[in-house]
Amino acid sequence: MKRIVGITSVICLFLCSSFTVHKYYLSVTDMEYNEKEASLQMITRLFYDDLEDVLRERYDETIIVDATSDQKTLDGYIKKYLQKKIKVTVNGEDKVLSYLGKEYEDDYVVCYIEITDVPSIQRIEIENTLLMDAFEEQKNMVHTDILGKKKSLLLVDGNAKAVLNFSE
């Protein structure tokens, strides 16, 4: 009987340790070109807790990412962070990201970004290193819809930059 209990305990311990939760580090950015507005419009989704960890590490260890926080201060940190970690070059010209604001959605903070004064696109370079300095396993998915061409990119540490050509 003791042997059966012992074997059962070992099996339970093995099964419990085999199914531990492993966190997945991923951000998703949708980028669309609006020809009428001559702008690139971007929506970036980041997990609350990952964003909070990086903002605490970089700017303010007391910051809380939720709707009860001082939104003006939080927006300032998010804007500063996004502008450092997402770089976009259009036709060889570095572009400035305008942070428009955010919304809270389930486990995500949804950030709205725009790049104005983009009358045409022949070539676009995207570098997205969001959260990569904080989380070794971080991956950043970028979905683009530019000039009727849809592409998806997976950017990882060491390969966080992509070039898309649209000239024919």
Side-chain angles (χ1 to χ4, degrees):
M1 182 69 166
K2 287 182 183 179
R3 184 177 173 169
I4 292 174
V5 171
I7 292 172
T8 304
S9 297
V10 169
I11 291 171
C12 284
L13 181 62
F14 174 74
L15 289 174
C16 290
S17 66
S18 296
F19 296 105
T20 57
V21 177
H22 181 269
K23 186 160 166 68
Y24 193 67
Y25 296 96
L26 179 73
S27 79
V28 178
T29 298
D30 295 308
M31 177 185 285
E32 188 172 311
Y33 180 55
N34 184 326
E35 286 185 270
K36 288 182 185 177
E37 301 282 327
S39 70
L40 279 168
Q41 299 165 347
M42 300 166 55
I43 299 172
T44 298
R45 289 174 175 80
L46 300 161
F47 284 108
Y48 278 88
D49 56 342
D50 296 345
L51 180 60
E52 185 174 277
D53 286 349
V54 80
L55 294 181
R56 282 182 173 188
E57 183 180 306
R58 288 178 166 263
Y59 307 116
D60 180 351
E61 56 189 43
T62 64
I63 196 75
I64 298 172
V65 177
D66 70 11
T68 64
S69 298
D70 173 6
Q71 297 302 296
K72 186 175 181 180
T73 300
L74 182 56
D75 280 336
Y77 292 144
I78 292 172
K79 175 183 177 180
K80 188 175 181 179
Y81 183 70
L82 291 173
Q83 288 177 336
K84 283 185 179 182
K85 294 298 184 174
I86 299 176
K87 303 290 182 196
V88 177
T89 304
V90 178
N91 304 331
E93 182 183 337
D94 292 341
K95 293 295 185 176
V96 177
L97 276 67
S98 296
Y99 172 73
L100 304 176
K102 69 180 171 331
E103 289 181 327
Y104 300 102
E105 179 182 284
D106 299 323
D107 293 336
Y108 301 98
V109 177
V110 181
C111 302
Y112 299 95
I113 306 162
E114 184 175 38
I115 298 171
T116 57
D117 193 27
V118 183
S120 68
I121 297 179
Q122 286 79 42
R123 177 185 164 104
I124 186 167
E125 293 177 37
I126 304 162
E127 183 176 7
N128 182 337
T129 59
L130 288 170
L131 304 172
M132 286 183 182
D133 55 340
F135 306 105
E136 199 175 291
E137 305 87 15
Q138 180 68 33
K139 293 174 178 51
N140 296 322
M141 179 74 71
V142 179
H143 301 291
T144 63
D145 186 354
I146 299 172
L147 302 171
K149 296 180 182 177
K150 295 182 181 189
K151 298 195 182 216
S152 292
L153 312 164
L154 182 62
L155 306 176
V156 296
D157 191 23
N159 192 17
K161 192 177 208 178
V163 178
L164 303 171
N165 288 303
F166 298 96
S167 58
E168 299 180 309

